[in-house]
Amino acid sequence: MLKELEENIEIILPQEGLALKLKESTDLGRALIIKLGFDPTAPDLHLGHAVVLKKLRQFQQLGHQIVVLVGNFTARIGDPTGKNKARKPLGADEIAANAATYIAQLSKIIDVSKAKVLFNADWLDQLNFAEVIQLASKITVAQLMQRHDFHKRFSENQPIAMHELLYPILQGFDSVHVQSDIEMGGTDQMFNCTMGRQIQESYGLDPQIVLCMPLLRGLDGKEKMSKSLNNTIGILDEPNEMFGKTMSIPDHLIPEYIDLTTDFNTATKLGMKARIARGENPMEIKKLIAQNLVAQYHSVESAHAALDFFVKRFQYREFEAKAFEEISRQSLHDRFGDKVKLVDLCYFLKGTTKSAMRRLIYGGGVQIDSTKQTDPEIFIDLNHCFKIKLGKRSYFNLI
């Protein structure tokens, strides 16, 4: 169980903390309280959010109590961005509208009926100014300056507003109110989550364990997936849009997307990575990822339809644009009959060795009617075969 829970987690703080918390849960016979907070800064969830939510689902399936904390108060402040400026705070109406869409979308990944959904304005709005001062007194400026973006901006003489310094303190106070055993987030939330540990201790509580998931990179292949960067795949994207966006990810992100976005089992994931390492066409692996994603967030039927749409609209159109050498279908029938092994057909058309043709097929260099074929022993029905691609420059049209 521990091994499955730790899979893909990038940071566990302290290192043995998760194992100890799980043992405590078993020994005391109580469910752990696991907190995930987010500020409703944009109306749509994307696959980057889903990385953490799917890990949260694993804990939920084991019977632990999931607390989804909507930062409808902290969103008014704005979490510092990690850049050289403060994040723009949102208005109350915009926050409420975004939060409403978030809750609906959560049901695609976790069982909302069994989760607690809390809003931190319910308690943060109740603090008077004296209580805010008292809370702030529990953290030193030196501790806040350990946050990388604060330290960087301070050293570069960039302004840091006082309200920004309060943000991680308030997020930490949320953990006191929730009495969380574990707080989850992306690696960019590590400082804020560890702040929760310090503030819990100052209130005499056992400090929460911090679990940070990797940040999924977006369609640009460089920055983390973010609505502000317009590089996202939304979990509400229509099937064809979701499929097409996934096909557009840079090839170097394929292993990352296999691990962080799909729900294939471990053996299947390892097999897909091995195929990439052997030099198989990355497009074929992306198709598997794209189908899996559409199936997760829509249906298996939608995934099949999206694949068919992509092949017909994009891949086959590219296939059709090539210059084809015409081959008499009758001459193939005369030689092979109605069906022929792929390796024999390729050897006949290309005129090299069969071993070279097998290597070409295994490497993903052969397409029949725009569909890649990787089994040299498969039989091709010559009555239903029209266009053949061998390698990068050989195209044949059966007439």
Side-chain angles (χ1 to χ4, degrees):
M1 178 179 68
L2 178 62
K3 184 177 180 181
E4 289 182 9
L5 286 173
E6 290 184 338
E7 185 179 15
N8 291 329
I9 297 177
E10 189 162 325
I11 298 170
I12 301 177
L13 185 72
Q15 188 171 356
E16 301 301 323
L18 178 58
L20 292 174
K21 280 292 184 184
L22 290 171
K23 183 177 185 304
E24 176 187 320
S25 172
T26 301
D27 291 345
L28 298 179
R30 75 170 183 89
L32 297 175
I33 299 173
I34 303 170
K35 168 194 168 192
L36 173 65
F38 60 85
D39 288 344
T41 54
D44 297 322
L45 295 178
H46 52 65
L47 295 186
H49 298 116
V51 172
V52 182
L53 287 167
K54 289 165 71 174
K55 182 60 63 177
L56 201 66
R57 181 176 62 194
Q58 286 184 263
F59 283 98
Q60 187 179 51
Q61 290 170 341
L62 291 171
H64 297 294
Q65 179 60 65
I66 305 306
V67 175
V68 176
L69 196 151
V70 181
N72 60 333
F73 183 97
T74 42
R76 298 180 219 163
I77 298 176
D79 188 10
T81 63
K83 308 296 184 181
N84 289 334
K85 59 182 179 180
R87 187 189 297 276
K88 179 183 177 182
L90 299 179
D93 290 343
E94 187 177 3
I95 291 169
N98 290 345
T101 64
Y102 274 19
I103 303 306
Q105 293 171 70
L106 289 175
S107 63
K108 284 186 168 285
I109 301 174
I110 64 173
D111 187 344
V112 176
S113 68
K114 295 180 180 179
K116 286 186 178 178
V117 180
L118 304 178
F119 296 81
N120 65 6
D122 290 347
W123 53 89
L124 293 180
D125 267 334
Q126 305 307 312
L127 295 177
N128 61 40
F129 191 64
E131 290 170 327
V132 173
I133 295 296
Q134 183 181 25
L135 175 59
S137 72
K138 298 179 183 297
I139 300 297
T140 68
V141 173
Q143 288 174 311
L144 290 171
M145 285 300 109
Q146 291 176 15
R147 178 164 164 155
H148 173 73
D149 55 324
F150 288 159
H151 178 78
K152 183 174 185 294
R153 287 160 62 185
F154 182 78
S155 63
E156 295 175 353
N157 293 318
Q158 297 289 335
I160 304 173
M162 285 298 298
H163 75 282
E164 295 183 81
L165 298 178
L166 286 174
Y167 186 96
I169 298 174
L170 293 176
Q171 182 171 327
F173 186 70
D174 289 343
S175 294
V176 172
H177 185 86
V178 172
Q179 296 191 24
S180 51
D181 296 295
I182 296 172
E183 180 164 14
M184 296 190 61
T187 53
D188 58 345
Q189 286 293 310
M190 186 180 73
F191 180 88
N192 291 350
C193 294
T194 56
M195 185 62 63
R197 286 174 54 82
Q198 296 179 53
I199 294 180
Q200 281 180 319
E201 283 189 293
S202 75
Y203 279 87
L205 301 174
D206 289 337
Q208 64 190 15
I209 305 305
V210 175
L211 304 182
C212 294
M213 300 298 293
L215 299 178
L216 181 70
R217 284 178 287 182
L219 300 179
D220 56 4
K222 298 177 182 178
E223 302 286 346
K224 74 171 184 177
M225 187 171 286
S226 169
K227 289 287 287 185
S228 63
L229 297 174
N230 195 30
N231 66 354
T232 66
I233 301 174
I235 67 172
L236 292 183
D237 284 347
E238 292 298 321
N240 290 341
E241 183 181 11
M242 180 177 286
F243 194 101
K245 284 183 177 180
T246 305
M247 295 302 296
S248 74
I249 65 171
D251 292 350
H252 69 270
L253 290 190
I254 290 177
E256 185 174 319
Y257 273 64
I258 290 173
D259 283 335
L260 299 181
T261 70
T262 71
D263 61 1
F264 295 120
N265 60 40
T266 301
T268 301
K269 290 180 178 181
L270 291 173
M272 292 169 69
K273 293 177 189 176
R275 290 166 63 180
I276 290 291
R278 289 196 301 266
E280 183 168 335
N281 189 335
M283 178 178 284
E284 298 308 305
I285 306 301
K286 289 183 192 179
K287 285 179 184 176
L288 296 176
I289 296 172
Q291 283 185 277
N292 183 268
L293 292 177
V294 175
Q296 282 185 67
Y297 298 107
H298 295 281
S299 67
V300 173
E301 293 75 18
S302 296
H304 292 318
L307 171 63
D308 186 59
F309 176 84
F310 178 84
V311 169
K312 288 180 178 178
R313 182 168 181 178
F314 298 104
Q315 192 174 350
Y316 193 75
R317 183 174 62 188
E318 178 183 351
F319 197 69
E320 285 283 285
K322 303 297 182 180
F324 287 83
E325 177 183 345
E326 293 186 345
I327 298 294
S328 167
R329 189 186 303 273
Q330 187 59 50
S331 67
L332 294 176
H333 278 295
D334 291 344
R335 184 177 182 87
F336 300 112
D338 289 337
K339 295 184 178 181
V340 57
K341 280 187 178 181
L342 180 60
V343 65
D344 293 331
L345 176 60
C346 294
Y347 173 65
F348 174 78
L349 294 173
K350 191 76 172 177
T352 58
T353 65
K354 284 192 177 183
S355 59
M357 289 299 95
R358 282 193 171 89
R359 288 195 296 273
L360 181 66
I361 295 167
Y362 284 132
V366 174
Q367 292 183 35
I368 304 293
D369 293 332
S370 81
T371 300
K372 191 177 298 299
Q373 304 290 341
T374 57
D375 181 2
E377 303 302 313
I378 192 173
F379 278 90
I380 303 300
D381 186 340
L382 294 174
N383 294 308
H384 299 93
C385 172
F386 300 94
K387 296 183 184 296
I388 304 169
K389 174 193 172 187
L390 303 182
K392 294 182 179 180
R393 287 177 287 274
S394 299
Y395 292 80
F396 302 92
N397 184 26
L398 273 59
I399 59 172

